[in-house]
Amino acid sequence: MAEQSLVPLEQSLPNKLPLVALMGRPIFPGIFTPIMIGNPTDVKVVEDAVAGDGLIGMVMLVNETDAPTIGDLHPVGTAAKIVKKINLPDGGVNIFISTLKRFRIKKGLHAANPIVGAVEYLEDEEDNTSEVKALTRALISEMKQISENNPLFSEEMRLNMINIDHPGKIADFIASILNIDKLEQQKILEILNVRKRMEQVLVFIKKEQELLRIQKKIQKEINEKIEKSQREYFLREELKAIKGELGMTTDAKSSEYQRFKEKFDFFKFEGEIKETVEQELEKFSLMEPNSAEFIVTRNYLDVIAGLPWGEPEPEQFDLKDAQAILEADHYGLKDVKSRIVEYLAVRKLRQGEQPRKAEDSGREERLPTGSIICLIGPPGVGKTSVGRSIARALGKQFFRFSVGGMRDEAEIKGHRRTYIGAMPGKIIQGLRIVKARDPVFMIDEIDKMGASFQGDPASALLEVLDPEQNFSFRDHYLDLPFDISRIFFIVTANTQDTIPPPLLDRMEIIQIPGYIDTEKLEIAKRYLVPKSLEKNGLKRSQVRYSAESLLHIANGYAREAGVRNFEKNLDKIHRKLAKQIIEEDEKLSAGKPVPARKKRAEAVKPAGAELPGGEAVNPAGPEVPRPLSPYILSAKFSIDRKLVEKHLGKPIFPEGEIKRADRPGMSVGLAWTNMGGDTLVIEATSVPGKEGLTLTGKMGDTMKESAAIAMTVARKLAVERYGLAADWFEKNHVHLHIPEGATPKDGPSAGITMATAFLSLLRGKTVADRLVMTGELSLTGQVLPIGGLKEKTIAARRNRARHIIIPRQNMRDLDEIPDHVKKGVEFHPVERFDEVLALALP
């Protein structure tokens, strides 16, 4: 039964109404209730009403039909005001309506699709006699008796009924909530005389009371049967106890109970946890093993028993060893390693600290041992491997799970046990798997979470990642406080922009930038090549790479911020080498007698003999694998540029494919994406025609605004400084395009780049070679700061740029860029666009 409440609402009502046909029960005036609309025609009526005055007529069908007309409707209905509309996934709508007044259909103005009728509104025929007052008291008294014995009637319904002061409205409200046949309800709706309406409702209340009396009788009989079943159950339990005394084998349930009890006694629970566990254990002991509730309770107790409730061992790690592990596992990333070692130093200082008493509750809690680390960087730069290295340095268990695409908060905090198939969330699951209270947890792709009607996982993570409150984390399934403050949380993301601000506020950001060519070369030599050789069955002594060949793979086939595609290309080369070795070996061994495989050199029993356990023995013994041939062991390869192209094909990124501004109207800018830094070519041209500016290249709103500002600044300078005719813009149409049109682009940092392209076009001059730039442009010609300078510098290095124009306010960011990244690049800090022009268009 839908929850309903009275909503007093009066307003002037129109003489014609769009009508919605009701297949269920009629709706009475003075009710606030939800209605689900699925018929497309009725959905259209609702949409039109919401767009207008929100008024519709609700009329019950005489006979149910999929395409009703006005002739299929009862003559009397109820006018209603749409208060709220919710669109449903299947195309229907759920509306909340406040019903106002009865009406009678005078005539149809539109017979179908949609139905519109001319209506007259009906007033109650008042009768303020003592008989009506007596009927009012009788209705309320009888309904109180029904509501007290019927759990379907909520407390809110009882209060609403008492607070209604109009006899007719009381009758309407009761008629709407009683279990009455819909045709009888329609008859009550059509009764205008208040006294007659109340008498009719009182008749149905008496019928409802009779039904409740019969229901109680049936319930009593059922309870007697249940008591009999319980008596039989206790007798069976006594029989089991007798069997136990006689030394007979106990059943599986008893052994499970004993296992749980021993485990919980070992943990020495206190307070709420102890009370809950004892209650569940007692309930478990009284259940039948074949009941559904038995399985649910056993699983719940199993989760509690599997969690690491005990105090963890003190952390035993050496800071020097931790540094050595980080250095051995990762090349470069000095700032990242330094920040991580700082966190480990804090943990070492804080270990052994005594818990404090909470001021509000008096319970013990520990001070947070440092912020949550958030590693942000492009794909393939080693965020996950950094997390593994931290776990190895601390000597702790490592557990990783991804929240990318997660749209249900229950994935984090679990499902309540009332649901079928309920499970704890990822945090509790991870603790059960690692069986440690202080592991390293890595939460991947935190920037790619979503939200849905099932909840917001980002909000659920707020408690998990807050060091001030996660000492009493409460999973929905477990529903017990569990201290997860000892967990070392590390989260990863590709971009900071899509992480919710409250979540970002709880984390310490560590940026992991992309790699330049020299770094990729060292990473390949130290890590990628040995790992790929081992994965593909080759030895390090068999394959040698020249530095030129590795750089060719990095620049020609894996031009990215990380090294994931670099490793994939190495795997591809090594698979081809493995195939070549086996094919050559098979050719050399063709025609030669195949040596018999050696047998196990040990005594065996005769054929058909069996071991004591009954297992048959092969008299020949297991065959020893054929030894590797001399060719396989001695094959060696020296990989140069030519062999790379033989195995990988022509380069995806040819060497000559360096983005340059080689004609007027072009400039090269720098951009930052989820994949790291990138270079951006801006192209501008003009054609005779109507004045205007066309922007293409899938630009976002912010970038379009930057283009408009850049055009205004360039136009002003071209006319006032460079003497361009003022009417040139009236006779020419300018078009600005950014290549790779299928890729979305947004942000303000290309402002000076677009303005430079416009002035290059207007002046007919080419921008200086090997020059790239980044900076937001204001309408007054100021160059404003941007973000992602380190990634943009790496992109400039990949594009072989020699000069980079940056906003002067970004000079502080240069200190964060390693010297080897800045090597060979000259930075030009500017404050005004005039300084940009002096460098780009001298």
Side-chain angles (χ1 to χ4, degrees):
M1 183 180 294
E3 188 174 340
Q4 303 170 329
S5 62
L6 293 175
V7 179
L9 183 60
E10 295 293 340
Q11 66 175 67
S12 59
L13 299 174
N15 293 326
K16 65 175 184 177
L17 284 175
L19 304 179
V20 174
L22 298 174
M23 290 191 179
R25 299 170 178 272
I27 296 177
F28 288 81
I31 303 296
F32 183 80
T33 183
I35 298 289
M36 191 173 293
I37 306 293
N39 188 295
T41 303
D42 292 339
V43 170
K44 181 68 168 57
V45 169
V46 169
E47 299 284 356
D48 292 342
V50 170
D53 56 10
L55 293 170
I56 55 174
M58 313 296 290
V59 190
M60 193 178 79
L61 284 166
V62 176
N63 296 305
E64 292 187 0
T65 174
D66 292 331
T69 64
I70 198 162
D72 297 316
L73 302 177
H74 282 278
V76 176
T78 304
K81 171 80 173 180
I82 300 174
V83 178
K84 186 176 182 181
K85 177 178 76 73
I86 299 173
N87 293 324
L88 302 177
D90 60 358
V93 294
N94 194 8
I95 59 173
F96 290 83
I97 60 171
S98 172
T99 56
L100 307 174
K101 212 167 192 179
R102 289 173 171 78
F103 65 81
R104 180 178 285 109
I105 302 172
K106 292 169 64 179
K107 65 176 180 178
L109 300 178
H110 198 283
N113 298 329
I115 305 171
V116 180
V119 301
E120 63 173 347
Y121 295 98
L122 306 174
E123 300 292 343
D124 284 346
E125 296 175 7
E126 300 289 345
D127 190 351
N128 294 322
T129 63
S130 300
E131 187 177 358
V132 169
K133 292 179 182 178
L135 281 169
T136 303
R137 290 184 181 182
L139 285 177
I140 294 175
S141 175
E142 298 293 340
M143 278 303 296
K144 277 185 180 179
Q145 182 181 345
I146 290 177
S147 63
E148 287 170 358
N149 296 317
N150 192 337
L152 294 177
F153 291 93
S154 66
E155 184 64 24
E156 184 182 354
M157 288 184 182
R158 287 194 285 270
L159 290 173
N160 282 334
M161 184 173 59
I162 294 170
N163 292 329
I164 299 172
D165 57 0
H166 190 279
K169 289 182 178 180
I170 291 176
D172 287 343
F173 178 76
I174 295 173
S176 69
I177 62 176
L178 281 178
N179 187 21
I180 308 173
D181 181 75
K182 62 181 182 179
L183 292 177
E184 296 294 339
Q185 281 187 321
Q186 180 66 31
K187 289 178 183 178
I188 294 172
L189 181 67
E190 294 175 5
I191 298 174
L192 299 182
N193 185 280
V194 172
R195 182 180 59 78
K196 291 181 179 178
R197 191 191 309 163
M198 296 176 77
E199 288 174 348
Q200 190 66 26
V201 170
L202 191 58
V203 170
F204 286 110
I205 289 178
K206 292 296 183 181
K207 289 182 179 179
E208 183 72 18
Q209 288 176 338
E210 181 63 18
L211 284 174
L212 280 174
R213 187 188 64 78
I214 296 170
Q215 183 181 344
K216 276 186 175 181
K217 179 183 175 184
I218 295 171
Q219 189 67 42
K220 183 180 178 182
E221 292 172 356
I222 292 173
N223 288 336
E224 289 174 354
K225 291 180 181 179
I226 292 174
E227 287 172 2
K228 181 182 177 183
S229 299
Q230 288 179 337
R231 186 169 61 254
E232 291 173 354
Y233 169 79
F234 287 124
L235 289 172
R236 282 196 297 269
E237 289 298 310
E238 287 179 0
L239 183 61
K240 288 177 186 177
I242 293 169
K243 287 183 178 179
E245 290 293 330
L246 295 174
M248 298 181 181
T249 306
T250 58
D251 59 359
K253 175 188 165 184
S254 300
S255 61
E256 285 276 359
Y257 175 85
Q258 192 61 33
R259 179 175 69 86
F260 287 139
K261 193 171 188 316
E262 289 175 0
K263 194 85 171 177
F264 298 148
D265 289 343
F266 173 78
F267 287 139
K268 298 179 180 178
F269 293 131
E270 295 179 353
E272 178 191 355
I273 302 174
K274 181 180 180 181
E275 184 179 345
T276 301
V277 167
E278 287 177 350
Q279 287 176 357
E280 292 294 328
L281 201 57
E282 183 180 357
K283 186 167 68 173
F284 177 77
S285 67
L286 299 175
M287 288 179 179
E288 280 297 318
N290 56 356
S291 68
E293 188 67 21
F294 175 85
I295 304 297
V296 172
T297 305
R298 187 185 67 183
N299 290 343
Y300 178 66
L301 292 172
D302 209 29
V303 169
I304 297 175
L307 287 173
W309 294 94
E311 282 293 315
E313 295 291 328
E315 292 182 348
Q316 300 290 338
F317 68 91
D318 187 86
L319 210 57
K320 287 185 179 179
D321 292 341
Q323 286 177 302
I325 288 172
L326 290 171
E327 290 293 341
D329 289 352
H330 300 88
Y331 176 79
L333 306 178
K334 288 185 179 179
D335 181 54
V336 176
K337 293 174 186 174
S338 175
R339 299 275 291 277
I340 291 171
V341 170
E342 290 169 8
Y343 282 111
L344 299 185
V346 171
R347 289 183 72 90
K348 193 157 182 77
L349 281 175
R350 296 285 306 280
Q351 70 179 3
E353 235 178 36
Q354 294 301 316
R356 66 182 180 184
K357 291 281 187 181
E359 294 181 3
D360 53 351
S361 63
R363 63 180 295 173
E364 290 187 347
E365 58 183 54
R366 293 185 177 273
L367 288 166
T369 55
S371 301
I372 310 301
I373 294 178
C374 179
L375 305 175
I376 296 181
V381 294
K383 299 185 293 294
T384 303
S385 62
V386 166
R388 292 185 186 277
S389 297
I390 293 173
R392 198 156 70 89
L394 291 171
K396 295 185 180 297
Q397 295 288 333
F398 179 79
F399 180 76
R400 172 195 164 278
F401 67 94
S402 175
V403 294
M406 188 178 287
R407 305 177 70 85
D408 185 359
E409 68 159 345
E411 293 285 340
I412 303 294
K413 298 196 70 173
H415 302 81
R416 301 192 185 278
R417 281 193 293 151
T418 51
Y419 295 107
I420 296 174
M423 294 172 58
K426 289 290 186 184
I427 305 299
I428 297 299
Q429 286 182 38
L431 288 168
R432 286 189 70 199
I433 291 170
V434 299
K435 300 189 184 305
R437 197 168 173 179
D438 57 347
V440 174
F441 268 30
M442 173 163 278
I443 306 176
D444 260 341
E445 313 293 354
I446 202 170
D447 56 326
K448 298 178 179 64
M449 286 187 294
S452 69
F453 67 94
Q454 295 170 311
D456 183 4
S459 300
L461 278 177
L462 291 177
E463 179 188 357
V464 173
L465 298 181
D466 191 344
E468 296 292 343
Q469 57 178 318
N470 61 8
F471 63 87
S472 60
F473 171 71
R474 193 177 286 268
D475 183 271
H476 287 156
Y477 179 85
L478 193 65
D479 200 23
L480 294 171
F482 192 92
D483 184 3
I484 61 171
S485 62
R486 304 291 191 88
I487 300 175
F488 193 139
F489 283 106
I490 304 169
V491 301
T492 72
N494 295 132
T495 178
Q496 185 174 326
D497 301 337
T498 54
I499 302 176
L503 200 56
L504 200 63
D505 185 56
R506 285 162 167 77
M507 302 183 294
E508 187 72 24
I509 306 300
I510 297 181
Q511 295 282 351
I512 300 184
Y515 300 113
I516 61 173
D517 298 345
T518 53
E519 290 177 319
K520 287 183 179 180
L521 178 61
E522 287 300 320
I523 291 170
K525 287 180 180 178
R526 299 186 187 189
Y527 309 106
L528 301 185
V529 172
K531 178 183 174 183
S532 180
L533 287 172
E534 183 180 356
K535 186 164 57 175
N536 290 283
L538 299 170
K539 299 185 180 298
R540 296 181 67 170
S541 59
Q542 290 182 286
V543 183
R544 300 181 69 85
Y545 283 88
S546 66
E548 181 192 11
S549 62
L550 290 174
L551 284 173
H552 185 47
I553 296 172
N555 292 324
Y557 302 90
R559 192 177 293 177
E560 58 177 347
V563 291
R564 192 165 289 158
N565 285 325
F566 199 157
E567 185 176 1
K568 289 179 182 178
N569 281 287
L570 288 173
D571 287 343
K572 188 175 180 180
I573 292 173
H574 296 155
R575 285 195 299 270
K576 291 182 180 294
L577 294 181
K579 177 189 173 189
Q580 183 178 333
I581 290 173
I582 297 302
E583 286 178 346
E584 289 294 329
D585 179 58
E586 290 177 351
K587 285 181 184 178
L588 292 173
S589 60
K592 295 182 181 180
V594 179
R597 299 188 180 183
K598 294 182 180 180
K599 309 299 180 183
R600 181 174 61 179
E602 61 179 47
V604 295
K605 293 192 175 185
E610 290 188 354
L611 293 176
E615 181 185 354
V617 178
N618 179 3
E623 294 182 344
V624 177
R626 174 182 169 183
L628 297 175
S629 71
Y631 175 77
I632 292 178
L633 295 173
S634 63
K636 295 184 183 297
F637 299 92
S638 181
I639 308 298
D640 55 15
R641 186 188 183 100
K642 186 177 179 181
L643 271 178
V644 167
E645 294 192 5
K646 175 186 175 184
H647 293 308
L648 298 181
K650 293 296 180 184
I652 300 171
F653 308 99
E655 276 192 15
E657 197 177 299
I658 293 175
K659 296 174 182 177
R660 289 181 175 174
D662 53 6
R663 65 193 67 186
M666 293 182 68
S667 60
V668 182
L670 297 172
W672 186 86
T673 68
N674 291 347
M675 301 294 290
D678 200 2
T679 47
L680 211 62
V681 175
I682 308 290
E683 300 174 346
T685 188
S686 64
V687 292
K690 186 179 179 181
E691 178 183 4
L693 173 64
T694 298
L695 302 174
T696 55
K698 207 167 186 181
M699 300 184 201
D701 292 339
T702 305
M703 200 169 200
K704 288 177 180 178
E705 290 176 0
S706 294
I709 292 171
M711 184 62 182
T712 301
V713 172
R715 182 171 181 170
K716 179 179 174 66
L717 288 172
V719 173
E720 295 180 359
R721 180 178 300 182
Y722 300 114
L724 187 69
D727 61 350
W728 184 91
F729 293 96
E730 298 174 3
K731 301 174 182 177
N732 291 274
H733 188 91
V734 180
H735 186 159
L736 184 137
H737 176 68
I738 304 178
E740 299 180 17
T743 305
K745 309 165 190 74
D746 207 356
S749 64
I752 63 172
T753 315
M754 291 188 282
T756 302
F758 284 137
L759 277 168
S760 170
L761 170 70
L762 298 174
R763 294 179 61 188
K765 293 187 67 175
T766 303
V767 173
D769 191 29
R770 300 288 182 90
L771 173 74
V772 296
M773 61 189 76
T774 179
E776 181 180 352
L777 180 64
S778 77
L779 203 56
T780 58
Q782 285 185 306
V783 180
L784 306 177
I786 46 83
L789 185 59
K790 184 187 291 185
E791 288 77 12
K792 291 178 178 180
T793 303
I794 292 171
R797 280 286 303 271
R798 282 203 300 267
N799 203 54
R800 302 185 183 178
R802 292 287 178 265
H803 302 275
I804 304 177
I805 299 175
I806 63 171
R808 188 173 296 278
Q809 294 182 51
N810 283 107
M811 285 290 288
R812 63 181 183 275
D813 298 329
L814 291 178
D815 296 335
E816 298 180 6
I817 304 176
D819 292 336
H820 66 274
V821 174
K822 296 185 285 188
K823 187 178 179 181
V825 177
E826 185 177 356
F827 292 88
H828 301 276
V830 297
E831 289 183 353
R832 306 280 308 172
F833 184 60
D834 295 339
E835 300 172 64
V836 177
L837 292 179
L839 295 165
L841 297 169

